Amino acid sequence: MQITRLDVVLAADLADLGALMATLDHFAGVSGLSPDVAFKVQLCLDELVNNVIDHGYAPGAPGEIRLRIEHHGDRLAIEISDDAALFDPFSNPPPDLDLGVDDRPLGGLGVHLVRTLMTEARYAVDAGRNHVRLVLSLEPAS
Amino acid sequence: MQITRLDVVLAADLADLGALMATLDHFAGVSGLSPDVAFKVQLCLDELVNNVIDHGYAPGAPGEIRLRIEHHGDRLAIEISDDAALFDPFSNPPPDLDLGVDDRPLGGLGVHLVRTLMTEARYAVDAGRNHVRLVLSLEPAS
Amino acid sequence: MEITESRHRDILVIAPVGRLDSTNAPIFDQRLSTTLERGDTAIVIDLSALDYISSIGLSVLLSVAKKVRRLEGRVALAGMNDRIRSVVEISGFTRIFEIHPTVETAVAAT
Amino acid sequence: MEITESRHRDILVIAPVGRLDSTNAPIFDQRLSTTLERGDTAIVIDLSALDYISSIGLSVLLSVAKKVRRLEGRVALAGMNDRIRSVVEISGFTRIFEIHPTVETAVAAT
Ligand SMILES: Nc1ncnc2c1ncn2[C@@H]1O[C@H](COP(=O)(O)OP(=O)(O)O)[C@@H](O)[C@H]1O
Ligand SMILES: Nc1ncnc2c1ncn2[C@@H]1O[C@H](COP(=O)(O)OP(=O)(O)O)[C@@H](O)[C@H]1O
């Protein structure tokens, strides 16, 4: 069996992020995704959803995040969209990895991880909403 | 969190039917469906997938079944499609429930259960494939 | 699948646990056949630990009812939850089976 | 979250179990702060029972490295699986942390 598409609506809070992680575990297990792929998908969605919770919606204000995952052949396509203030996360400069321990800021790694781990990562505004579109090419072996 | 759409491709065999039941358990749990609704959805998909396995594809021949579940508001819409010989399950006459124990045939209850438990159940041929479309209206309380 | 058995006087109480579906129903069917062959023809099927039944599970119940009738025995269903009861009703089995809320009332009704 | 501790001579080995994510990282951060305040400044963080780390978990590691440096102590990472190692590398932490394949090599390297 393979789950070929999964759409989810979640509240912008940690409880729903936890439920999402459990659903991704189930999805990866059922569809026989490799542990590497399962880890990358969890991590990137964790980072992006956390950013919408932390930086997107006003603290305490209710917010909704929509997610769509499609799995066809050796390709995962993921779309995350939200209704918070428009912000392109890929407009951030990458973190300076050469800084020493005293100078490295805490944080600022989430978007860098997403960009590095995914095959494609793009931002778009569609119908006034933030949309992040990710693609992960799966190894034929996985 | 709510899973608003779930598409699945399964092989027409009991192993994948078992995986589907586990996925439906997860879906119902995550989306907070009532135990009654979860039971009805499992039962109707179990019956229809079993029929495609038992009566649709030739025994031992590989066959594929596609499934889509959509959950919006208080409505579940389910579509099951397969590529086996065209057959409208709702063309069967309903079983005669007045027969005594000796005269009741074994079997012939699956489609009757689907028709009785779902709010709508229809059959269509689309692109040469069998399509069964189900709707279940959820009680506002569930 | 787990199936538990207990005896109350000459009545055998047999309880399938969990799911009666295409995977498990053949196992339960086999167990019931063995029970009848062994000579137990007064049976209460305790469904209180059953979470799920599909049409193949219902066929197993009908099949035991047919066999018990030929053997001039007795079979009753007991302890169904509301979901299982609704499926049993939709199938018209309330006309075929003696149905009791609990094993105790089923055993006492002999 | 489960966090196990053991002591090898003057080195404290601390091992987070499971996931270091937005739910669990604050708990691990708190534990590490308590450890440092207690005077343990030679620390091996054993990641061999860790399945998952996100950027907030990486921040906790960076934060302890900063504190240990101010205290003129020592912190090493040990036992990472390949997935966690790749995330640590992408974050440039190989330049910041002493990294060992196992707790044993990390303890022996003092
Ligand atoms: N969805 C978002 N809305 C607004 N700002 C964001 C969003 N995502 C990221 N940012 C900004 O980009 C910065 C870097 O994000 P990230 O790399 O994930 O690191 P962190 O969240 O740990 O700071 C954030 O600190 C924030 O200022
Ligand atoms: N997908 C299908 N393809 C072909 N025949 C079917 C299909 N589904 C149902 N049938 C026919 O309809 C009958 C009744 O189906 P059902 O009510 O599910 O009972 P059962 O499968 O137990 O016989 C089956 O016995 C079979 O002859």
Side-chain angles (χ1 to χ4, degrees), chain A residues 14-25:
Chain A
L14 289 187
D16 269 16
L17 178 57
L20 173 62
M21 293 294 120
T23 291
L24 294 176
D25 269 339

Side-chain angles (χ1 to χ4, degrees), chain A residues 3 7 9 14 18 32 35 40 54 68 70 72 76 79 87 90 96-97 107 111 121 125 131 133:
Chain A
I3 293 174
D7 292 8
V9 178
L14 289 187
K40 285 179 188 174
D54 290 347
R68 182 171 73 219
E70 288 173 289
H72 294 289
L76 283 180
E79 178 163 325
F87 177 81
F90 305 118
D96 183 349
L97 306 181
V111 173
V125 177
H131 288 258
R133 299 200 173 97

Side-chain angles (χ1 to χ4, degrees), chain A residues 42 46-47 50 98 104 112, chain D residues 19 22 52 55 66 95:
Chain A
Q42 277 212 353
D46 192 350
E47 296 301 339
N50 256 304
D98 292 322
R104 284 287 301 261
H112 173 64
Chain D
R19 299 173 66 92
S22 11
Y52 180 83
S55 68
K66 287 172 180 284
R95 276 162 248 184

Side-chain angles (χ1 to χ4, degrees), chain B residues 18-34:
Chain B
L20 173 63
M21 293 295 122
T23 292
L24 294 177
D25 268 338
H26 181 85
F27 164 63
V30 157
S31 296
L33 299 182
S34 73

Side-chain angles (χ1 to χ4, degrees), chain A residues 53-120:
Chain A
I53 298 173
D54 290 347
H55 311 297
Y57 291 110
E64 184 192 87
I65 300 168
R66 292 191 209 147
L67 201 89
R68 182 171 73 219
I69 304 180
E70 288 173 289
H71 180 194
H72 294 289
D74 54 3
R75 186 172 184 277
L76 283 180
I78 299 174
E79 178 163 325
I80 302 143
S81 82
D82 69 74
D83 203 22
L86 297 182
F87 177 81
D88 176 1
F90 305 118
S91 65
N92 287 335
D96 183 349
L97 306 181
D98 292 322
L99 296 177
V101 57
D102 293 333
D103 299 322
R104 284 287 301 261
L106 293 176
L109 287 170
V111 173
H112 173 64
L113 288 167
V114 173
R115 221 195 307 233
T116 309
L117 293 172
M118 292 287 129
T119 312
E120 288 174 33

